[in-house]
Amino acid sequence: MQLLASYLHGTWSNGSGSRTPLVNPATEEVIAEVMSGGHDLAAAFRHARMAGERELAALSFAQRGALLGALSKAIHGAREELIALAVANGGNTRGDAKFDIDGGALTLSYYAELGAKLGTVQLLGDGEPLQVGRTARMAGQHVWARRRGVAIHINAFNFPAWGLCEKLACALLAGMPVIAKPATATALVAHRLAQLFEPLLPQGVLQVLIGPAGTLLDHTGPGDVVAFTGGSATAHVLRKQLPAVRLNVEADSLNAAILGPDVELTSEAGNLFLADVVRDMTQKTGQKCTAIRRVLVPEARFKDVCEAMRERLASLAVGDPARDDVRMGPLATAQQRDDVRAGIARLVAATEAVHGTGDVTPIGVPAGKGFFVGPVVRSTSSPLDCEPLHSHEIFGPVTTVAPYDGAAAFAAEFIARGEGCLVSSAYSDDRDWVASFVTAAAPWAGRLYLGSAKMAAQSPGPGTVLPSLVHGGPGRAGGGEELGGERGLHFYMQRCALEGDASVLKSLLS
Amino acid sequence: MQLLASYLHGTWSNGSGSRTPLVNPATEEVIAEVMSGGHDLAAAFRHARMAGERELAALSFAQRGALLGALSKAIHGAREELIALAVANGGNTRGDAKFDIDGGALTLSYYAELGAKLGTVQLLGDGEPLQVGRTARMAGQHVWARRRGVAIHINAFNFPAWGLCEKLACALLAGMPVIAKPATATALVAHRLAQLFEPLLPQGVLQVLIGPAGTLLDHTGPGDVVAFTGGSATAHVLRKQLPAVRLNVEADSLNAAILGPDVELTSEAGNLFLADVVRDMTQKTGQKCTAIRRVLVPEARFKDVCEAMRERLASLAVGDPARDDVRMGPLATAQQRDDVRAGIARLVAATEAVHGTGDVTPIGVPAGKGFFVGPVVRSTSSPLDCEPLHSHEIFGPVTTVAPYDGAAAFAAEFIARGEGCLVSSAYSDDRDWVASFVTAAAPWAGRLYLGSAKMAAQSPGPGTVLPSLVHGGPGRAGGGEELGGERGLHFYMQRCALEGDASVLKSLLS
């Protein structure tokens, strides 16, 4: 049995203690093991603060970007192997696995290019010079400076490749050494990435703890930052545990999709809407933080939308994701399956059936094995008052459809009931409706995806996180921000207002 | 005896419960009282969410700016009265009072002008449009949108006018209704401002709770934000109490001043350094979050700096700040005096004497009355290892001087030992030294003030917070940001990435 080692303080070590099995969630076969602890985490922090800090200080943005480029290439070189690991350990179909792995490589190469563009400056300028005295001589200039400290990355189980890469890209380009802790259940992909990346990076720049976090966060000190992706319950614990540490949280999100009152289902925008909703509730078995959990459609289209979803989902093949004919695999863990089933039960008590119950007979799997839940669509005629719809993220292939009067204000209020989300989408070719919608809904979303006829042919879909656009959301979604081009570096930097002689300030940015 | 009422849910109410006296800290005379509670805070939140939200939604940035302009004018109109209140209730000299009150008016008028500039747009653009699809048609655009919710402002005792105004200016211009809670001990000035502002603002836009916070924070919900200025102990409690609320903290700060190795004390930069250090340790009796607590000077200048400080401080008249001949008043409260004395005792155990013990016989005050502490300068020959110097903010007229070898890296390390500050300053005409210093020190400061011969004649000094520059600092200083021009609005807004057809996105920003 493969035992997954951690890469800490310059060495690979298995750790010690009890063994936790990693399984194939389709077959429940044990495919690897991790130890429960026994790592010298204090030494890992020292290594980051000494070697990692020294190595990064010696590199320009362009040089750090070149490192990210090498990591991206390494992923491309091992792509098939990584996809196989994701299928075996993550319950991913080949498509799901590519979404994760290619997404990671793309994000690394995006930040590699940004590094080349930033070049050899020491400080990044923030805005224009300002006059702060009687004459232009006395000036102010905001800058972003590399933080000194360690970046701790706590990643979620659903994107072992992309999650590791997107956080690493920003931290490393900004100039902070990283200790990453992938989720244990799906650690095979992250572990292989750590093996691929290790020889390509200077000492101390990236360390990877495979297995439980243990006392990891007890070692944080001034200058350190923690970026966390996961459930809101854990996020609350972290906030209370780390009141003095800079913390970025990406947590629960009840993303919505809104069909505008002007859109026919047979139109380009209507087709895009249906395709996005069905894909974003079933891709990665609904285990995407950006998946569509709530759908609002004009009363006149309500029946047609339900019918179209039934039709598309009826033909969805669920089973062993290693098979070519399977379109949706299992959930990643038994715990996830139990949580999703509990969520469905809560929803069932407050909504009506449209499609599915969650029960499914998976293709190509020994009877009774695997953490499978089939797609479920529910509906409610009380979209604003359906409490479980707005208060609980069901992290699986489950969504709820509701009718509305077509008013943009109602759609925005529906989104607001989720108390903050990562992304929501609206489909309309009516610019006035879109303008009203955006103004009212934007405070509740980190991203708003505006589907329309004109962009339908080249849309990446609302569920795809792009490195150039901010990822994160207010309130329930954690209040954090990642990516967004250069914005993604800011969490790992300190904004500082410089004040002094204008020519001195100018020389500092050249 | 004047009983200070709160302005909540559209009415002035005294509250109920026990009475807390507000005193003149120079004479200990009781000059007003506040009740311990008895306010309908739930009604205040409802008022903000209904009336305040509705009124602000109807106003453009320009119109909100015009309101701020009216508030600034109201301060100018009542300036002498406000100064008298600050002298009586805050222990302020006339100069101290002007620093607070004029600073508040200036900040309001700065944001009034910004409002006029922003005009009538609904969303503020953040960066340029991005191509996110195969062609330029599929685009991304980041925007800032007005948050929906209530802004709770918890202000510190030392700047009752400026603190109220600087937070209010940003929140109101961004479009959030405010409930402000001034510090009780010095509430006379804030209470008078609330009286002046009330008739000038639409219903629900500003409410002011005078007295203890009580259950104020228990009413916060999705969309609400809390901006806190005060001690780090309270900040930690808030963070734990409000894990899901957007929180801005400005807390303790061990600001440093560094004399560069090239600067003669008799030069322009040298004079500026001495003037800044002495002013920023004695202005407002050292009760400024931006005051200079730690001073580092080249070994060769160490004795001269100590001598010059002794000389300047020996002639400092301490006493009743209502007198024209007094340059420094008392601390604001008995508790502050006790805390400062305890801090001096800790420092004394680890440093050597340069000037003063804190004991002082104040001018024009009945014997034994008033919360006075005289200026204290200590020194240490171990600037990096003097633990109390770097771990405890003494919020009074106390500073410590230490010698160093003149290396920029050492100076930056000295600043870093404070684990994050609001501002630090360095005085040098050597551009290479300044460049090394800034790169190494910027991660540890929200602002770096670079003193030099060229700007000496028009320098505002490091202790002056300007509305155009960010105010806040990493780590111990709370990790927050206020002001900084348009940046100051962002805490009260949500950044949202819009994704869609390029021409649609463009139309949303026009």
Side-chain angles (χ1 to χ4, degrees), chain B residues 1 104 111 115 126 136 144 146 173 200-201 242 251 279 308-309 314 319 344 402 404 408 413 435 441 449 460 477:
Chain B
M1 185 61 55
Y111 278 96
D126 177 56
W144 291 100
R146 183 169 69 86
L173 186 56
L200 302 174
L201 291 173
L242 303 171
R279 184 190 54 240
M309 289 182 71
I344 292 171
Y404 80 122
E413 180 58 30
Y449 168 94

Side-chain angles (χ1 to χ4, degrees), chain B residues 17-284:
Chain B
S18 58
R19 286 163 183 252
T20 302
L22 272 60
V23 304
N24 180 324
T27 63
E28 301 185 37
E29 280 174 282
V30 177
I31 51 179
E33 290 179 320
V34 298
M35 295 300 223
S36 59
H39 299 290
D40 188 347
L41 298 174
F45 273 82
R46 276 197 306 274
H47 190 54
R49 293 192 205 290
M50 303 296 293
E53 158 64 24
R54 186 184 59 235
E55 295 286 347
L56 287 167
L59 299 176
S60 66
F61 285 105
Q63 289 168 316
R64 293 181 213 136
L67 293 178
L68 297 176
L71 304 188
S72 181
K73 280 206 189 90
I75 294 180
H76 283 301
R79 187 166 180 257
E80 287 303 320
E81 180 193 356
L82 289 164
I83 289 173
L85 292 174
V87 170
N89 185 212
N92 289 8
T93 63
R94 185 174 168 85
D96 292 342
K98 288 195 286 189
F99 190 65
D100 179 29
I101 291 158
D102 293 348
L106 172 80
T107 305
L108 288 169
S109 71
Y110 173 90
Y111 278 96
E113 280 175 40
L114 180 58
K117 218 167 66 186
L118 296 177
T120 59
V121 291
Q122 285 282 338
L123 302 166
L124 299 180
D126 177 56
E128 297 301 307
L130 306 160
Q131 179 173 333
V132 302
R134 283 192 319 278
T135 76
R137 165 149 285 171
M138 181 66 214
Q141 171 71 54
H142 292 87
V143 298
W144 291 100
R146 183 169 69 86
R147 273 175 85 98
R148 307 300 197 268
V150 184
I152 317 301
H153 290 167
I154 302 178
N155 291 312
F157 71 87
N158 54 337
F159 283 100
W162 176 81
L164 182 77
C165 293
E166 58 103 19
K167 287 187 168 58
L168 176 63
C170 291
L172 200 152
L173 186 56
M176 286 191 85
V178 169
I179 301 176
K181 198 216 93 57
T184 303
T186 59
L188 259 179
V189 169
H191 172 262
R192 184 68 191 118
L193 287 177
Q195 287 181 326
L196 292 167
F197 291 175
E198 185 252 293
L200 302 174
L201 291 173
Q203 277 290 311
V205 166
L206 173 64
Q207 302 178 74
V208 180
L209 170 64
I210 307 283
T215 60
L216 184 66
L217 297 174
D218 299 345
H219 298 274
T220 53
D224 295 349
V225 303
V226 175
F228 168 78
T229 299
S232 56
T234 311
H236 277 222
V237 171
L238 285 181
R239 286 190 213 274
K240 293 190 179 197
Q241 190 188 340
L242 303 171
V245 169
R246 186 186 280 204
L247 179 62
N248 192 82
V249 170
E250 195 243 278
D252 302 355
S253 183
L254 293 154
N255 315 296
I258 315 285
L259 187 63
D262 60 303
V263 177
E264 301 284 346
L265 280 187
T266 52
S267 69
E268 278 176 287
N271 262 317
L272 180 66
F273 162 79
L274 284 172
D276 283 349
V277 167
V278 171
R279 184 190 54 240
D280 272 5
M281 72 171 284
T282 56
Q283 190 178 36
K284 285 184 80 65

Side-chain angles (χ1 to χ4, degrees), chain B residues 396-410:
Chain B
V398 183
T399 201
T400 300
V401 185
Y404 80 122
D405 61 3
F410 189 102

Side-chain angles (χ1 to χ4, degrees), chain A residues 435-459:
Chain A
S436 301
F437 170 78
V438 167
T439 307
W444 301 104
R447 184 161 50 93
L448 286 178
Y449 168 95
L450 305 171
S452 65
K454 284 193 178 167
M455 52 68 99
Q458 53 177 313
S459 160

Side-chain angles (χ1 to χ4, degrees), chain A residues 5-82:
Chain A
S6 293
Y7 183 67
L8 296 165
H9 47 83
T11 56
W12 288 95
S13 71
N14 288 335
S16 59
S18 58
R19 285 162 184 252
T20 301
L22 272 60
V23 305
N24 180 324
T27 64
E28 300 184 37
E29 279 174 282
V30 177
I31 51 181
E33 290 179 319
V34 298
M35 295 299 223
S36 59
H39 299 290
D40 189 347
L41 297 174
F45 273 82
R46 277 197 306 275
H47 189 56
R49 293 192 206 291
M50 303 297 294
E53 158 63 24
R54 187 182 61 236
E55 295 286 349
L56 286 169
L59 299 177
S60 66
F61 285 105
Q63 289 168 317
R64 292 181 214 136
L67 292 177
L68 296 178
L71 304 189
S72 181
K73 281 208 188 85
I75 292 180
H76 284 299
R79 187 166 180 259
E80 288 302 321
E81 181 192 356
L82 289 164

